[in-house]
Structure formats: structure tokens, C-alpha cells
């Protein structure tokens, strides 16, 4: 093992390197405790395995759907990773949700799906679990950050678990603060702007799961809020795209200069078309997952490692971005690439709202005297000056 988890006086849990790690090394891989596609993402027909989130459409199908153009034809079909997978799709015989293979169907069934399967009522919005998901979608529009289906799967796992204490220990091990009392800040999903929506959602949640006596302790208002704190604070976003996989595989082909120029021009044109029709931020099949080990890694605005998904599913790989010396803390960025390049005030605002802490990394300390304005406010001031 290349790392260890230790308790620190200022950050609590943190991950440290046990030996020297080279830039580009994979520090560890991890499958999630639970993962789920976003609810709206699923509604908009982003096809993926219900269990592992592998794409279930070809790159060409993906492009045609998102661009609204059935005439698109992609060269190099051998570079599409999903052609064979589509031939192996299996479905739950009761509710018809789809899996990339029978192994995933069996895993899901043994883990949580047996308890949650909608049987022949999948199309009915009146079915309690469907009603809960529909209500969730009405208060959490795209772009999505998490999904209540993670909570549903966790409850399904508890119902089916042979060792319920082990699952409870995993849940207790996640960061689950609703409020940081020292900083007097609440998670944005549990703050005043979302309070009324949660109050409306709570009785629907109770109706969906209230018939099971094993779940009594999870049906209190406090337990409901704690679940949201867990998925909001610990949820790791992930995205899979058959088109992105095709692009990567094409880039690895040995082509002549003319062929390379032609295919790169095609790719640029396709991305432009997708941006105009759908928006590139909606390119991927997207979801969220909870990882027991990854959740213990702290944030830095200048991280030395990054989360990747090399198998185009929910299996996570932590890769070193720089050389890391034995004894150094291993860090990742909780912010996306765009947000981490914004002003210190913008970064701090997002981190306090979503993760309940004030970042004191080297970058934030270096910029501590910068004006307390967001990047958007900076841009507005620059536009006013230009006028």
C-alpha cells in the first residue's frame, strides 16, 4: 500500500504517502460503496449500466442523439468501445432496468436492487419510490450535483445487508456534518434556500420507505438531513461518454498526416455542433458515487493527485499529478477545472457551501490579501472599466 490515513490536528483525517510516488503513478483504484446515475440525466435518455454506469450506446448513437442529427457517421468503428457491449446488455426481468453484463445485474440484485425493484409498476409515477424521484427532480434541475437515488440505494443495501453493522460503520465514517459550528456555516443543501424543499420531500421519502420496519431509524427528520449531508459532502461526480472514449482511441491510432488532419477536423466540427445543440457540459452520462477510501482525501487548490475513471465506469483511480515524497499529504481538488482557476473568494465560497471548510492551501494563503469578490464580479468590473 502506497498510502496511510492519519488524524491531523488541523484537518482531521488525511491521506499521506508511505513511499515516494512518481508523477503519473496510480496510487490506488477503488470501487464505490454505491453509485447512481443522475435522475435528470437518466430522464434525458443517457443510456448506461444501472450498476457501474458504463455507456450503453455506441459513440455514433451518442452523437446522433445529442446533436439531433441521424446522418452522422463516424469513421474507425473499431475505436468504439461499446459496440460489443450493446450486444451483451441484460435487463432486470421485472422492471427492465438495463445492465452492461449479467455480472452487474447479479451484483446490483444482491446488493440493493431486489429491495428496490419496481416490478411491473415501473411506469407508474404513483409508485412511492418513483414519486420520490419525480419530486426530487422538481427541486433539483440540471446541471445536477447529486441524486436522491443514492439514498434509496443505501436503504436498499441496508435492507439486504447480511452485516448491517458493517454498512452502518461505513456510513458513520463519511463526513456527515450538517453544520460547521465553529465557522457557523451550513451545507447549501440544508440551508434556508433549500429548507422548504426538503420539508416537502421528507413525507414523500417516508411514504416510499415507511413500510419496512428495519428502516425506522432512517425515517426521522435528522436522519434524512444526515443522508443529504453524506451525499452532498462526500459524493464524487463521475461521467462516462462513448464519444469521448472513441476520440481517445482514435488519437492512439497510427495515421498518416493527411488522415490525422482530416479526423481532427471532423472531431472539432462534431464538438462544435454538440456545443451548439446540447452544450458540452451535457455531453457525458453523469452520476455520483460514495467511495470509502477516496472520501478521506483532503482538498487543495494545487492538488498533487487527480481522480480518473480509466475504465469508463464507476471504478475510480487516483493518479499522481506530481512527484510525491514519502510523508507528504496526498491531496485532490474538490473543485472542477474551471472553478479551481477562479478567484480565491469564488473558490472559498464554493468550498464552504458544499464542504463546510475554509481552504488554507498554499494557493489560498498566497492570495489571502486578494479582494473578496467573485470571479464574476471581477469580470463585471473589468467590463465597466472598458466602457
Amino acid at each position: 500500500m502506497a498510502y496511510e490515513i492519519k488524524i491531523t490536528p488541523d484537518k482531521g483525517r488525511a491521506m499521506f504517502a508511505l513511499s515516494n510516488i512518481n508523477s503519473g503513478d496510480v496510487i490506488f483504484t477503488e470501487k464505490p460503496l454505491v453509485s447512481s446515475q443522475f435522475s435528470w440525466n437518466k430522464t434525458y435518455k443517457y443510456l448506461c449500466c444501472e450498476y457501474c454506469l458504463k455507456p450503453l450506446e455506441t459513440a455514433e448513437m451518442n452523437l446522433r442523439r445529442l446533436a439531433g442529427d441521424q446522418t452522422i457517421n463516424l469513421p474507425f468503428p473499431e475505436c468504439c468501445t461499446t459496440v460489443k457491449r450493446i450486444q451483451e446488455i441484460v435487463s432486470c426481468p421485472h422492471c427492465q432496468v438495463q445492465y452492461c453484463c449479467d455480472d452487474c445485474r447479479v451484483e446490483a440484485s444482491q446488493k440493493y436492487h431486489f429491495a428496490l425493484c419496481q416490478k411491473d409498476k415501473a411506469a407508474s409515477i404513483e409508485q412511492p419510490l418513483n414519486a420520490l424521484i419525480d419530486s426530487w427532480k422538481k427541486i433539483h434541475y440540471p446541471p445536477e450535483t447529486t441524486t436522491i437515488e443514492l439514498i434509496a440505494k443505501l436503504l436498499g443495501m441496508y435492507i439486504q445487508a447480511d452485516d448491517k453493522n458493517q454498512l452502518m460503520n461505513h456510513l458513520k465514517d463519511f463526513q456527515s456534518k450538517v453544520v460547521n459550528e465553529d465557522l457557523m456555516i451550513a451545507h447549501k443543501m440544508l440551508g434556508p434556500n433549500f429548507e422548504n424543499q426538503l420539508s416537502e420531500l421528507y413525507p414523500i421519502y417516508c411514504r416510499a420507505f415507511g413500510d419496512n420496519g428495519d428502516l425506522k431509524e432512517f425515517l426521522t427528520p435528522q436522519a434524512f438531513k444526515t443522508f443529504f449531508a453524506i451525499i452532498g459532502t462526500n459524493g464524487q461526480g463521475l461521467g462516462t461518454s462513448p464519444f469521448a472514449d472513441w476520440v481517445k482511441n482514435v488519437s492512439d491510432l497510427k495515421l498518416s498526416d493527411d488522415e490525422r488532419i482530416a479526423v481532427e477536423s471532423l472531431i472539432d466540427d462534431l464538438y462544435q455542433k454538440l456545443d451548439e445543440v446540447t452544450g458540452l457540459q451535457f455531453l457525458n452520462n453523469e452520476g455520483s458515487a460514495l467511495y470509502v477510501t477516496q472520501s478521506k482525501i483532503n482538498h487543495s487548490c494545487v492538488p498533487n493527485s487527480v481522480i480518473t475513471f480509466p475504465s469508463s465506469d464507476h471504478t475510480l483511480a487516483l493518479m499522481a499529478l506530481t512527484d510525491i515524497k514519502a510523508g507528504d499529504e496526498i491531496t485532490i481538488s474538490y473543485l472542477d477545472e474551471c472553478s479551481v482557476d477562479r478567484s480565491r473568494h469564488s473558490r472559498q465560497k464554493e468550498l464552504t457551501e458544499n464542504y463546510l471548510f475554509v481552504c488554507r492551501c498554499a494557493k489560498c494563503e498566497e492570495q489571502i490579501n486578494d479582494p473578496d469578490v467573485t470571479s464574476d464580479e471581477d469580470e463585471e468590473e473589468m467590463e465597466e472599466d472598458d466602457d
Side-chain angles (χ1 to χ4, degrees):
M1 187 179 292
Y3 64 88
E4 64 177 341
I5 308 297
K6 295 195 296 189
I7 303 297
T8 65
D10 55 338
K11 295 183 178 180
R13 293 180 307 192
M15 180 178 288
F16 293 88
L18 282 174
S19 57
N20 292 340
I21 299 170
N22 296 321
S23 176
D25 284 354
V26 173
I27 301 169
F28 67 82
T29 61
E30 181 180 16
K31 291 186 181 296
L33 177 67
V34 64
S35 65
S36 180
Q37 183 182 11
F38 288 146
S39 303
W40 277 109
N41 198 266
K42 185 185 302 182
T43 299
Y44 286 134
K45 307 299 182 185
Y46 286 77
L47 303 178
C48 71
C49 176
E50 193 276 338
Y51 182 71
C52 77
L53 275 66
K54 279 183 179 176
L56 295 183
E57 59 184 348
T58 66
E60 196 169 84
M61 291 164 60
N62 180 235
L63 274 176
R64 288 177 174 181
R65 178 173 58 80
L66 292 176
D69 184 352
Q70 295 301 310
T71 67
I72 291 175
N73 293 297
L74 286 181
F76 310 111
E78 69 276 14
C79 290
C80 179
T81 60
T82 55
V83 173
K84 182 179 178 182
R85 186 181 307 148
I86 289 174
Q87 299 168 359
E88 298 173 351
I89 290 175
V90 296
S91 302
C92 169
H94 303 292
C95 67
Q96 308 308 313
V97 297
Q98 294 185 316
Y99 300 93
C100 67
C101 61
D102 202 52
D103 286 347
C104 279
R105 183 193 65 79
V106 172
E107 281 280 326
S109 182
Q110 292 177 345
K111 222 173 162 181
Y112 58 80
H113 187 69
F114 182 80
L116 301 179
C117 183
Q118 303 298 291
K119 309 303 181 192
D120 295 325
K121 301 177 182 178
S124 173
I125 198 62
E126 300 302 324
Q127 206 283 338
L129 183 54
N130 286 343
L132 176 65
I133 294 168
D134 188 60
S135 298
W136 164 256
K137 285 160 53 182
K138 290 175 182 176
I139 65 174
H140 198 77
Y141 289 96
E144 299 168 271
T145 56
T146 190
T147 171
I148 200 167
E149 293 185 59
L150 279 177
I151 297 176
K153 287 187 177 182
L154 287 171
L155 293 177
M157 288 171 65
Y158 186 81
I159 293 169
Q160 293 187 215
D162 293 327
D163 188 347
K164 290 179 170 38
N165 288 331
Q166 182 184 47
L167 178 57
M168 287 298 294
N169 288 335
H170 282 320
L171 293 177
K172 290 174 182 177
D173 206 29
F174 285 114
Q175 169 61 261
S176 60
K177 278 187 177 181
V178 174
V179 175
N180 185 323
E181 293 85 357
D182 295 333
L183 299 176
M184 297 298 291
I185 51 178
H187 193 283
K188 72 175 184 180
M189 291 184 67
L190 301 163
N193 294 335
F194 207 62
E195 188 173 359
N196 290 339
Q197 295 168 320
L198 279 185
S199 297
E200 294 173 5
L201 202 60
Y202 175 63
I204 305 170
Y205 163 82
C206 290
R207 283 198 296 274
F209 297 102
D211 290 341
N212 193 299
D214 287 345
L215 300 179
K216 185 177 180 180
E217 65 180 298
F218 298 110
L219 300 180
T220 67
Q222 185 56 41
F224 186 55
K225 288 183 177 181
T226 298
F227 267 133
F228 273 98
I230 288 174
I231 66 172
T233 305
N234 301 275
Q236 169 66 50
L238 58 100
T240 60
S241 166
F243 178 55
D245 290 341
W246 178 87
V247 170
K248 178 181 179 298
N249 291 334
V250 167
S251 69
D252 293 335
L253 291 177
K254 293 181 179 179
L255 302 174
S256 68
D257 290 344
D258 288 345
E259 287 176 319
R260 178 65 61 192
I261 291 170
V263 76
E264 287 180 353
S265 176
L266 171 65
I267 290 170
D268 288 343
D269 289 345
L270 290 171
Y271 271 123
Q272 183 175 346
K273 186 165 189 175
L274 286 171
D275 194 25
E276 292 171 354
V277 176
T278 306
L280 293 181
Q281 69 269 37
F282 298 110
L283 174 61
N284 294 345
N285 161 67
E286 293 185 322
S288 183
L290 297 176
Y291 297 86
V292 174
T293 301
Q294 176 268 347
S295 68
K296 297 174 176 61
I297 308 174
N298 288 320
H299 164 85
S300 171
C301 297
V302 280
N304 56 21
S305 60
V306 64
I307 299 297
T308 65
F309 297 92
S311 302
S312 198
D313 62 7
H314 66 190
T315 301
L316 170 156
L318 181 70
M319 185 182 74
L321 284 173
T322 64
D323 291 343
I324 304 172
K325 295 179 181 178
D328 285 353
E329 183 179 1
I330 297 171
T331 58
I332 57 175
S333 174
Y334 294 176
L335 306 174
D336 61 30
E337 291 182 9
C338 292
S339 295
V340 81
D341 288 332
R342 290 166 68 83
S343 71
R344 177 183 185 273
H345 187 67
S346 294
R347 299 195 308 272
Q348 296 283 4
K349 184 175 184 293
E350 187 170 342
L351 289 167
T352 53
E353 287 180 345
N354 289 284
Y355 302 102
L356 305 180
F357 73 90
V358 173
C359 182
R360 293 187 173 87
C361 71
K363 183 176 180 178
C364 285
E365 291 299 290
E366 182 181 323
Q367 299 173 347
I368 197 166
N369 294 319
D370 287 1
D372 283 343
V373 293
T374 66
S375 296
D376 292 335
E377 290 168 336
D378 274 341
E379 290 169 6
E380 288 171 5
E381 287 182 10
M382 290 175 66
E383 289 172 1
E384 289 173 3
D385 290 342
D386 290 340
D387 294 340

